[in-house]
C-alpha cells in the first residue's frame, strides 16, 4: 500500500472514531503528505522509516524556522498515525516511541479586564439593527464562553429560553448544555422579538444571528466586527476570535469558580487545557501584589 492510501485510511479513521472536524483532518493530511514527500527524497516511505529519520525531519523543520509548538503538533500527528499503523498491523514497531516531545512555552491568553469587557459590550449602537445584533452576540459570547464558530453557527432549535440554556454541539460532536445569565437571556429575547425579524426574509431560516444577507455569518466577519468595537471603545489589546471566551474563563476563575465547572462550560475534553486559566489568575494576583503591596 502506498503512502497516499495509508494517509487516506488514517484520516478516514479519524473521522469515524473521533469525529474530528474537516479542518483538523486537513491538517493531519497536510502534515503527513509533507513527511511522505521528504521521506521519498531520502529513499524511504511512511511504512519503512525509523526513529532517526523522523528526528532528522523534525530537526530540519526546526532549522528552517519551525516553532517548537509547530514541531510538537507535528510529532502528535506522527504519533497518532504510527499508533494507527501499529494497531492495524501494518507495521511491527512504532518509530515515534522514544522521541521526546519538544518543550513548548505555554503563552497565557491575553484576557480583557472586566471594565474593558463592559466597554466592549456597551459600544454597539442598538438603534442600528446590525449593531444591535452584534451587541447581543457579544453579550452571549461573554456570558457563555462559546467558541466563535459555535456562536455564528447557532440555530434556533439550540435555544431553550425557558430553562435559560444553549445546547451546543462542540468539537468531536460532543454535546454540552451551557447556561446563560439573566443579562444575556434578556438580550436574546428582546433581539428575537424586535430585531431578528428585520434581518431575515425567510421565516424558515434557522440561523439565530444572520449576516446582512440573511445567511450564516463567517467567523472572520464576526472577528472584524469585534475588532471594530474594540477600536471604537479605545481598547488597544490584540483582539482574537477567542478574546471573550478567554475573558469568560479568566473572570470565572478569578471569582472562585471550580476549574472542572469551567472545563465543562468551555467544552474542553482535557482538564489540562483548562488549567492555563489558573496561571492567568495567579499572574493577575502577582501583578496586583507588586502594584499595591509596600514591599511588592
Amino acid at each position: 500500500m502506498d503512502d497516499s492510501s495509508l494517509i487516506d485510511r488514517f484520516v478516514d479513521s479519524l473521522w469515524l472514531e473521533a469525529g474530528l472536524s474537516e479542518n483538523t483532518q486537513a491538517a493531519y493530511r497536510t502534515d503527513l503528505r509533507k513527511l511522505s514527500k521528504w521521506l521519498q527524497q531520502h529513499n524511504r516511505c511512511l511504512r519503512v522509516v525509523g526513529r532517526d529519520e523522523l528526528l532528522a525531519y523534525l530537526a530540519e523543520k526546526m532549522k528552517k524556522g519551525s516553532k517548537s509548538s509547530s514541531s510538537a503538533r507535528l510529532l502528535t500527528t506522527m504519533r497518532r498515525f504510527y499508533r494507527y499503523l501499529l494497531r492495524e498491523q501494518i507495521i511491527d514497531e512504532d518509530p515515534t516511541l522514544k522521541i521526546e516531545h519538544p518543550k513548548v512555552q505555554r503563552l497565557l491568553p491575553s484576557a480583557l479586564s472586566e471594565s474593558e469587557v463592559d466597554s466592549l459590550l456597551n459600544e454597539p449602537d442598538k438603534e442600528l439593527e446590525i449593531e444591535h445584533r452584534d451587541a447581543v452576540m457579544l453579550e452571549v459570547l461573554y456570558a457563555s464562553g462559546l467558541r466563535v464558530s459555535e456562536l455564528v453557527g447557532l440555530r434556533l432549535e439550540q435555544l431553550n429560553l425557558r430553562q435559560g440554556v444553549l445546547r451546543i454541539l462542540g468539537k468531536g460532536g460532543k454535546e454540552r448544555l451551557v447556561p446563560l445569565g439573566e443579562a444575556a437571556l434578556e438580550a436574546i429575547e428582546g433581539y428575537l422579538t424586535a430585531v431578528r425579524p428585520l434581518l431575515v426574509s425567510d421565516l424558515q431560516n434557522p440561523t439565530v444571528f444572520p449576516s446582512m444577507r440573511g445567511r450564516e455569518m463567517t467567523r472572520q466577519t464576526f472577528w472584524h466586527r469585534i475588532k471594530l468595537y474594540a477600536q471604537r471603545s479605545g481598547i488597544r489589546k490584540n483582539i482574537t476570535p477567542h478574546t471573550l471566551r478567554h475573558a469568560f474563563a479568566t473572570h470565572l476563575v478569578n471569582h472562585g469558580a471550580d476549574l472542572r465547572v469551567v472545563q465543562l462550560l468551555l467544552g474542553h475534553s482535557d482538564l489540562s487545557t483548562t488549567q492555563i486559566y489558573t496561571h492567568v489568575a495567579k499572574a493577575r494576583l502577582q501583578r496586583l501584589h507588586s502594584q499595591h503591596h509596600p514591599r511588592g
Side-chain angles (χ1 to χ4, degrees):
M1 188 179 298
D2 62 16
D3 283 0
S4 180
S5 298
L6 283 177
I7 293 170
D8 287 341
R9 281 183 57 176
F10 168 66
V11 173
D12 286 345
S13 77
L14 292 178
W15 178 76
L16 287 169
E17 297 168 11
L20 298 183
S21 69
E22 290 185 9
N23 287 341
T24 304
Q25 293 175 54
Y28 276 104
R29 194 186 300 274
T30 299
D31 283 345
L32 291 171
R33 281 178 176 172
K34 289 180 179 179
L35 172 61
S36 172
K37 184 178 180 181
W38 185 87
L39 288 172
Q40 287 171 19
Q41 293 169 353
H42 293 77
N43 301 315
R44 289 286 187 271
C45 66
L46 290 173
R47 282 183 302 129
V48 184
V49 65
R51 173 178 175 272
D52 290 344
E53 286 92 353
L54 295 181
L55 280 173
Y57 179 65
L58 289 168
E60 186 173 306
K61 299 282 285 184
M62 293 285 283
K63 189 176 180 180
K64 290 181 178 179
S66 178
K67 296 179 180 178
S68 58
S69 57
S70 299
S71 296
R73 183 179 64 84
L74 176 57
L75 181 54
T76 297
T77 298
M78 292 193 296
R79 279 184 171 160
R80 196 162 189 172
F81 174 69
Y82 283 107
R83 284 172 186 170
Y84 165 78
L85 295 188
L86 194 64
R87 189 187 72 196
E88 295 295 310
Q89 300 182 336
I90 297 171
I91 59 174
D92 297 322
E93 187 177 343
D94 180 358
T96 69
L97 200 57
K98 294 183 180 179
I99 299 179
E100 292 185 6
H101 231 70
K103 292 182 179 180
V104 180
Q105 182 182 7
R106 203 162 193 187
L107 298 176
L108 299 181
S110 176
L112 299 177
S113 66
E114 293 178 36
S115 61
E116 287 172 328
V117 169
D118 285 338
S119 297
L120 184 63
L121 267 55
N122 290 322
E123 183 57 37
D125 182 356
K126 293 185 180 179
E127 295 298 318
L128 304 174
E129 296 158 8
I130 294 298
E131 295 206 8
H132 192 139
R133 176 207 64 191
D134 294 344
V136 178
M137 293 181 78
L138 291 171
E139 188 72 55
V140 170
L141 201 58
Y142 179 57
S144 62
L146 297 183
R147 298 178 178 92
V148 173
S149 56
E150 294 168 346
L151 178 73
V152 298
L154 201 62
R155 298 288 188 265
L156 291 172
E157 63 265 22
Q158 293 176 258
L159 304 180
N160 188 326
L161 300 182
R162 185 173 58 82
Q163 294 185 358
V165 296
L166 304 175
R167 182 171 50 83
I168 301 299
L169 195 65
K171 287 186 175 181
K174 295 178 181 177
E175 186 175 278
R176 70 186 192 276
L177 293 179
V178 180
L180 290 169
E182 290 183 11
L185 196 56
E186 185 178 328
I188 287 182
E189 289 175 337
Y191 160 78
L192 291 177
T193 302
V195 179
R196 185 179 177 277
L198 303 175
L199 300 176
V200 291
S201 55
D202 180 10
L203 296 179
Q204 301 302 313
N205 188 332
T207 304
V208 176
F209 300 112
S211 67
M212 288 185 282
R213 295 184 179 181
R215 303 171 186 167
E216 182 178 309
M217 194 186 308
T218 65
R219 293 172 66 256
Q220 291 77 13
T221 296
F222 186 59
W223 181 20
H224 289 306
R225 302 295 295 174
I226 293 177
K227 288 175 76 82
L228 169 67
Y229 297 124
Q231 186 178 31
R232 278 174 25 183
S233 62
I235 296 173
R236 297 289 174 257
K237 291 180 179 176
N238 181 38
I239 300 292
T240 74
H242 275 332
T243 296
L244 284 177
R245 179 172 162 86
H246 290 322
F248 163 83
T250 303
H251 298 168
L252 279 175
V253 173
N254 283 345
H255 286 277
D258 182 87
L259 206 59
R260 288 201 177 274
V261 173
V262 178
Q263 176 193 3
L264 290 172
L265 293 174
L266 291 173
H268 286 163
S269 57
D270 192 334
L271 185 62
S272 64
T273 310
T274 317
Q275 283 174 335
I276 192 169
Y277 293 105
T278 63
H279 300 304
V280 173
K282 287 177 185 175
R284 177 178 176 274
L285 289 174
Q286 288 170 349
R287 232 175 14 250
L288 289 173
H289 182 275
S290 64
Q291 288 174 0
H292 302 291
H293 193 277
R295 292 186 180 272

